[in-house]
Amino acid sequence: MDSKSKIQLFFLTTLFLFTLTFVNAQTLGTYIVQLHPHGTTSSAFTSKLKWHLSFIQQTLSSDEDPSSRLLYSYRSAMDGFAAQLSESEVEYLKNLPDVISIRPDRMLQIQTTYSYKFLGLNPARENGWYQSGFGRGTIIGVLDTGVWPESPSFNDQGMPPVPKKWKGICQAGKAFNSSNCNRKLIGARYFTKGHSSVSPFRIPEYLSPRDSSGHGTHTSSTAGGVPVPLASVFGYASGVARGMAPGAHIAVYKVCWFNGCYNSDIMAAMDVAIRDGVDILSLSLGGFSTPLYDDSIAIGSFRAMEHGISVICAAGNNGPTAMSVANEAPWIATIGASTLDRTFPAIVHMGNGQRLYGESMYPLNHPMSKGKELELVYLSEGDTESQFCLRGSLPRDKVKGKMVVCDRGVNGRAEKGQVVKEAGGVAMILTNTEINLGEDSVDVHVLPASLVGFDEAVTLKDYINSTRRPLARIEFGGTVIGKSRAPAVARFSARGPSYTNPSILKPDVIAPGVNIIAAWPQNLGPTGLPEDSRRVNFSVMSGTSMACPHVSGIAALVRSAHPGWSPAAIKSAIMTTAEATDHTGRPILDESQPAGVFDMGAGHVNPQRALNPGLVYDIRPDDYIIHLCSLGYTRSEIFSITHRNVSCNAVMKMNRGFSLNYPSFSVIFKDGERRKMFRRRLTNVGSANSIYSVEVMAPEGVKVIVKPKRLVFKQVNQSLTYRVWFISRKRVKRGDGLVTYAEGNLTWVHSQNGFNRVRSPVAVTWKSK
């Protein structure tokens, strides 16, 4: 190579490295920039949008259009914008006046024919549905994966007109136009900018409010679907499908796509939903515990709460791990999951005569459902991928014509069945691991299959190892109601205490979330797998994602019955009337043990009683600010959440001994503390001249003193205050690092009618450094 060529090569290499370095330095990420709502620089601009663009403009070279970087301009859920920025631009923006915080965009994940009867709602009786007008006039906004508008659950026959206050739209897009909305589904929008800036759409997906995955259709119909007679999934769970608030209107905000849900899109949807005029926001999505000032859902929901909107969120599916609960802001209703007393038996008959209980929704009318005896195979030697039946892991020569045992985990339950089918297997037994124990989330499998618990799995594998040619057949038993104890806490339901704010007991309540039947898109098979060519109007899902819309619908019923109530009053009504016992009158179980307050919060929802709670613990928006001060949050952190500029020193001086007027108690004794005092304020929403007396079940190791012991309400809407002292009788050694717990409850009982029992769970924690 001559010297000229070497010089040219050196120059090109140097230029390439310089360009690569420059491009990497300028790599763009999506950031949410929060601004001061009354910023000093805003007055120079005629609109919020122009003000927001001016910040981007300051970071760019003169020839670049700032609107090319802007994703969203927020003005209701918070003041600020989402934009694509480089790290150097972020650093520059941080130093500009009126910039409060800059957060990188984060991805979150999405977390019935019978459940309304299980919860005591019966259209044949003069009960809660009639008292609340079935939720008429209330608008439920659902942030999820969109909606399948043709589902019979969204038929508007008999629905009242769209409320005059509604300002939303029916946004057109792929396979979706304004005619897809009606008096039931009154609005639909979709939000892609946050997702597409990070993860371009590679999988065919509807760029519209239309649902591609089924999750959003399922949750929307659970909250407010109209009655659909003769609903079933291939003959299972047949009956009339109804949402919790069948008279309510639904507005859908599609924020979740195949890869997940991005905070910038979620914030944009909340921002618009507040202006659209929703009454309830239902979010069956979330991640892990996050400080409130860094949590977009917490920030957006604070603004929603200030506008009188109840925000209901899923607690998450990371149970049974302690401190796994998400969406734990005190102004959010955080919902865990419970079971129903409806089962779908699929008994495994082993060749040695033993029977193992399992469950499945494999179609009863399919020729393969008759239970032919087959050879069993469990590929447990060497390759763990085969144990889990991952794609490509099952050798055809070993599974063809056989019943394959697959361990739960790694890939989806129904996907394992598809893997078995593609490898030539003809049936499957899905075995719970020690993590799942007896949890029984069923699926509409693509081949004959049964899910068995962990104990049954051990027995099954022992049998397989004990004989040269193990055999089994599956007997499908249809739908069985009322034979099992319920409700119980779902194994996967996220647990407290709250990691970021243990002074508030979370989750708030539990609601049905296991094997819930609800509406399903017509472009998907009931498993949601692309290979599943079957088509149904309803399918089954499990998760706190399913529990959340149950409570969203119940909140709509309460709001319709009491339109003047605040979000805190509605949440109080749902919490203080929740049940701590199951339908047999015994304590709600978590596996084989009585459930604790960190598992179920105040207990299992009871919509009938929630409509007539007698008393409520109301909370004003300003009270939450005092609460944040009491937690030691800084001025800027509180401003990020509330958009209020406060001096916590002054606030706490004016509110000595403050405790948030929450419907539950979380008492924390740190480093030898012996005494804690809480003030609470109850408002009479029942009848005039009502007298309530207190009943206390003291936590072990704690003395509880309540003053006064009697509350006499002369008028409706009158508020009275009481104080409660928790005195520790337990001596905790300093320096042992132990954390111990106890629990009890405090209940105000109506002295005359006995019906109104206003119960608050009590959690006590002893912490030693």
Side-chain angles (χ1 to χ4, degrees), residues 12-25:
L12 290 171
T13 305
T14 306
L15 180 63
F16 172 75
L17 289 172
F18 172 80
T19 305
L20 187 65
T21 304
F22 179 77
V23 169
N24 284 342

Side-chain angles (χ1 to χ4, degrees), residues 642-715:
T642 68
H643 283 186
R644 310 275 191 93
N645 196 3
V646 297
S647 165
C648 279
N649 281 338
V651 165
M652 295 315 294
K653 279 180 184 176
M654 292 171 61
N655 296 277
R656 293 186 188 281
F658 172 85
S659 57
L660 188 66
N661 198 43
Y662 211 73
S664 58
F665 293 88
S666 178
V667 185
I668 301 172
F669 293 112
K670 293 180 182 177
D671 290 327
E673 287 178 324
R674 300 295 301 276
R675 177 185 290 251
K676 291 279 185 178
M677 190 273 284
F678 292 76
R679 284 189 182 86
R680 288 291 191 267
R681 183 183 67 256
L682 281 164
T683 301
N684 179 27
V685 294
S687 53
N689 300 311
S690 292
I691 301 170
Y692 285 81
S693 301
V694 72
E695 291 180 0
V696 175
M697 191 179 85
E700 188 177 347
V702 178
K703 182 180 180 181
V704 181
I705 300 170
V706 182
K707 290 185 180 180
K709 289 182 167 53
R710 233 163 131 258
L711 296 174
V712 180
F713 294 93
K714 295 182 179 178
Q715 298 170 331

Side-chain angles (χ1 to χ4, degrees), residues 667 669 672-676 700-704 725-732 764-766:
V667 185
F669 293 112
E673 287 178 324
R674 300 295 301 276
R675 177 185 290 251
K676 291 279 185 178
E700 188 177 347
V702 178
K703 182 180 180 181
V704 181
W725 286 264
F726 296 95
I727 302 163
S728 174
R729 291 172 162 163
K730 193 170 176 178
R731 296 198 176 274
V732 179
V764 178
T765 306
W766 288 269

Side-chain angles (χ1 to χ4, degrees), residues 419-432:
V419 172
V420 170
K421 186 177 180 181
E422 288 174 359
V426 293
M428 174 179 71
I429 300 176
L430 192 55
T431 51
N432 275 356

